[in-house]
Amino acid sequence: MADHHGGHHADGHRRQQQLQGEAADQAAAEIIKEQDRLLPIANVGRIMKQILPPNAKISKEAKETMQECVSEFISFVTGEASDKCHKEKRKTVNGDDVCWAFGALGFDDYVDPMRRYLNKYRELEGDRAAAAATSRSGAGAAAGPDHPSSSSSAAAATAGHFMFNAMDRSTDSSRQF
Amino acid sequence: MRQARPYSAMFAGGVSARTGPHALPLARIKKIMKRSAGDSSVVDGGGGGGGGARMISGEAPVVFSKACELFIAELTRRAWAATLEGKRRTVHKEDVAAAVQNTDLFDFLVDVVTADLGDDHTDYK
């Protein structure tokens, strides 16, 4: 097979392969970046299906358009919440900022349900934290950072790491393509 | 009272669904939020305070996981109305685009759905 190529052609061929390899790497990186930009199509499709009657079908393109719309919705609201934090000289966008931003952007119907959801989440988190603390105290003293902000940072880092792994596994298992 | 809330507690007792108690993955929501919260943008030198960079608290993606369900539900219902107008039972992306264009609240999505239609080089109809 190699005999079919002269020196020049061999060089060109190798260079072409190299370029294709680089292009493939770049394409792969872009695909990964693209996937991170959107919520998983399976999750979005499932929610859509729950809304529609049983005989309804959803084209893949419709799901893809919905994926784009949801990401834009998150960015739109987050941008508004972030601006508010900036004006108030705060560094962290929290749940209250997001709830406020819904109202500011005309999603009035979302504000009260989301505030209730957030409060319920905080209650549950408080209960779980208390339960975890009790469990930990049984095994021995749980020494944590004393400063609230340090505590928040440490917990956030831990949570982020844990969530990332857990969610990535979940995402992979639910991905269809 | 501690401000931090350990996420690992959410999974005490096991994960009942693939994304736990939420229909949408929190980590992905957080990544999307970070893009528009100025996490990786140039620091705003002109503004007061801490500049453009923002951190996202753990509870913010939780709020969005529910809000996005409401959003998808609302947009899907309106898209389905467009599907029915077309006497079809398969929702096409044109139906989603019609829902966006017919609803003032979704004005911010016009570019998204228009670009989607414009980029389509294949006619599946």
Side-chain angles (χ1 to χ4, degrees):
Chain A
M1 202 63 75
D3 294 338
H4 294 181
H5 300 281
H8 177 72
H9 287 162
D11 286 345
H13 189 57
R14 270 196 296 273
R15 189 158 38 252
Q16 195 177 29
Q17 278 184 323
Q18 213 171 34
L19 289 174
Q20 285 171 352
E22 289 169 3
D25 286 347
Q26 190 175 344
E30 283 172 6
I31 287 171
I32 292 171
K33 205 177 293 183
E34 180 79 1
Q35 282 171 352
D36 275 353
R37 195 175 58 82
L38 303 172
L39 295 180
I41 191 168
N43 299 66
V44 170
R46 194 179 308 123
I47 295 171
M48 291 178 77
K49 192 145 189 65
Q50 285 167 3
I51 298 306
L52 298 173
N55 68 327
K57 291 180 170 54
I58 310 167
S59 76
K60 189 181 181 194
E61 289 80 18
K63 293 177 190 174
E64 288 170 344
T65 297
M66 185 63 75
Q67 279 181 290
E68 297 278 352
C69 290
V70 177
S71 286
E72 188 68 18
F73 170 68
I74 294 171
S75 296
F76 186 53
V77 177
T78 299
E80 189 74 9
S82 182
D83 285 348
K84 181 177 193 286
C85 287
H86 181 71
K87 287 169 187 164
E88 298 179 358
K89 304 195 193 324
R90 287 187 286 108
K91 274 191 170 294
T92 304
V93 177
N94 62 34
D96 291 315
D97 298 319
V98 173
C99 291
W100 172 86
F102 290 133
L105 296 171
F107 292 92
D108 305 320
D109 293 344
Y110 289 40
V111 176
D112 288 341
M114 289 304 99
R115 286 196 193 281
R116 285 197 294 272
Y117 187 80
L118 176 58
N119 289 336
K120 194 179 301 179
Y121 170 78
R122 285 170 172 167
E123 286 173 17
L124 288 174
E125 277 302 286
D127 291 346
R128 286 196 181 103
T134 301
S135 175
R136 274 197 300 264
S137 68
D146 291 328
H147 199 276
S149 64
S150 300
S151 175
S152 297
S153 298
T158 303
H161 177 74
F162 187 94
M163 288 295 294
F164 183 86
N165 289 340
M167 288 301 127
D168 258 25
R169 274 197 299 274
S170 302
T171 300
D172 286 342
S173 68
S174 67
R175 193 171 290 142
Q176 289 172 344
F177 43 85
Chain B
M1 183 61 67
R2 283 165 58 101
Q3 295 293 318
R5 299 283 186 261
Y7 270 85
S8 55
M10 284 174 63
F11 296 96
V15 179
S16 59
R18 275 169 290 183
T19 54
H22 306 286
L24 296 163
L26 298 182
R28 191 73 61 84
I29 292 174
K30 188 166 186 177
K31 281 183 182 178
I32 296 168
M33 290 184 74
K34 281 191 166 191
R35 285 168 167 255
S36 51
D39 186 64
S40 55
S41 70
V42 176
V43 172
D44 178 12
R54 292 279 171 269
M55 289 182 288
I56 308 293
S57 83
E59 63 185 19
V62 173
V63 174
F64 266 118
S65 72
K66 193 64 176 178
C68 288
E69 287 187 52
L70 301 186
F71 173 84
I72 293 170
E74 182 172 8
L75 192 43
T76 298
R77 270 191 291 267
R78 292 173 186 273
W80 178 243
T83 306
L84 292 180
E85 276 189 26
K87 302 195 194 306
R88 288 175 279 100
R89 67 172 191 166
T90 301
V91 181
H92 295 155
K93 63 180 176 180
E94 288 81 8
D95 300 324
V96 180
V100 165
Q101 284 156 355
N102 290 335
T103 313
D104 288 347
L105 183 63
F106 296 144
D107 270 357
F108 68 100
L109 296 171
V110 167
D111 288 347
V112 171
V113 296
T114 303
D116 228 28
L117 296 178
D119 287 340
D120 183 17
H121 298 300
T122 309
D123 187 358
Y124 293 102
K125 290 181 177 177

